[in-house]
């Protein structure tokens, strides 16, 4: 049941929203947007680019393939990263929970599947193996809801911040960015391992 709910939430609150987003290019690139947010908030952090998007105590790192992109979704990716940085300043324990949840949603189901495969190879496959895998993936889904909730909070922080700053000139774009950030958070409702089944997830390896 958790798996079905997670996929449904991802589809309804995530992919359905993305399909309705404006397709026009934005004035700022994702990296420029993140720089503007950082300067406006006076965050003592560096904006960098690397292979993967990630957040550290001193850096907000955007994926290189994302940094130069101009569009609602790339800006939403940058905005969500900024929101997580803000959240880390006020509630660092939430970021620790998110990090644990992301790792667990990948590792636990994967380990369970490997155990079942090993049992099948050595000829000791038992009746409870498949139910155990289902429970593991279900558990990973429940934990992934925590990561989604934390990112939803981060999206809300950035959305409120944008309302108070003139970083995005067009109100329609600002609203669309806020919606897209929440849609990105909704994608976390599916545990990391199952996200491989969704091709659109591969461009977002946020850590």
């Amino acid at each position: 049941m958790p798996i079905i709910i997670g996929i449904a939430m991802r589809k309804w609150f995530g992919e359905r929203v993305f399909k309705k987003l404006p397709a026009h290019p934005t004035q700022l690139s994702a990296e420029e947007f993140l720089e503007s947010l950082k300067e406006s908030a006076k965050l003592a952090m560096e904006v960098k680019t690397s292979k993967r998007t990630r957040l550290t105590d001193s850096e907000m790192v955007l994926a290189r393939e994302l940094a130069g992109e101009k569009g609602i979704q790339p800006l939403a990716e940058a905005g969500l990263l900024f929101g997580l940085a803000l959240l880390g300043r006020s509630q660092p324990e939430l970021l620790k929970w998110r990090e644990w949840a992301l790792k667990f949603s990948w590792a636990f189901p994967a380990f369970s599947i490997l155990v079942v495969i090993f049992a099948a190879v050595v000829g000791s496959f038992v009746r409870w193996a498949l139910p155990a895998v289902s429970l593991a993936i279900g558990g990973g889904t429940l934990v992934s809801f925590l990561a989604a909730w934390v990112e939803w909070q981060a999206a809300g922080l950035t959305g409120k911040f944008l309302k108070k700053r003139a970083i995005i000139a067009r109100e329609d774009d600002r609203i669309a960015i806020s919606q897209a950030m929440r849609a990105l958070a909704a994608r976390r409702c599916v545990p990391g391992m199952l996200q491989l089944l969704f091709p659109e997830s591969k461009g977002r390896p946020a850590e």
Side-chain angles (χ1 to χ4, degrees):
M1 184 60 72
I3 302 170
I4 296 174
I5 293 173
I7 293 175
M9 291 179 66
R10 177 193 171 96
K11 288 291 185 181
W12 184 259
F13 296 108
E15 308 314 324
R16 184 182 65 88
V17 173
F18 281 121
K19 290 178 181 178
K20 297 181 178 181
L21 291 177
H24 63 262
T26 51
Q27 291 183 338
L28 298 175
S29 68
E31 185 175 9
E32 292 169 341
F33 180 54
L34 187 56
E35 283 281 5
S36 297
L37 289 169
K38 184 201 79 169
E39 294 298 329
S40 184
K42 295 181 172 57
L43 277 183
M45 300 182 73
E46 290 185 74
V47 173
K48 293 187 175 181
T49 61
S50 186
K51 184 178 180 180
R52 295 174 66 86
T53 296
R54 67 180 187 276
L55 179 68
T56 70
D57 292 338
S58 59
E59 297 176 345
M60 293 182 286
V61 185
L62 280 173
R64 292 191 188 95
E65 64 179 11
L66 175 69
E69 291 293 317
K70 294 184 176 183
I72 297 299
Q73 185 170 340
L75 266 60
E77 300 259 9
L80 187 57
L81 184 62
F82 172 75
L84 288 169
L86 289 182
L87 195 62
R89 293 296 186 267
S90 59
Q91 297 177 284
E93 67 280 359
L94 287 184
L95 292 192
K96 293 179 181 178
W97 274 105
R98 170 183 172 270
E99 183 179 356
W100 174 84
L102 291 177
K103 291 179 180 178
F104 182 90
S105 70
W106 270 97
F108 187 55
F111 175 75
S112 301
I113 291 174
L114 286 176
V115 170
V116 170
I117 292 174
F118 178 77
V121 170
V122 299
S124 59
F125 191 81
V126 291
R127 288 180 298 175
W128 51 260
L130 291 180
V133 170
S134 297
L135 286 174
I137 296 177
T141 302
L142 291 174
V143 169
S144 70
F145 289 163
L146 173 60
W149 179 80
V150 173
E151 293 194 4
W152 189 276
Q153 302 304 309
L157 287 177
T158 303
K160 291 178 181 177
F161 188 85
L162 288 174
K163 286 183 179 180
K164 301 176 182 178
R165 302 292 194 279
I167 297 173
I168 300 297
R170 296 179 55 173
E171 184 178 3
D172 289 349
D173 283 356
R174 177 181 60 77
I175 293 173
I177 290 169
S178 296
Q179 292 173 338
M181 286 189 295
R182 288 185 170 87
L184 287 169
R187 286 184 171 182
R188 291 296 192 194
C189 291
V190 174
M193 195 173 172
L194 291 185
Q195 287 187 30
L196 296 175
L197 301 177
F198 299 88
E200 67 277 1
S201 299
K202 296 177 181 178
R204 190 190 173 222
E207 299 289 348

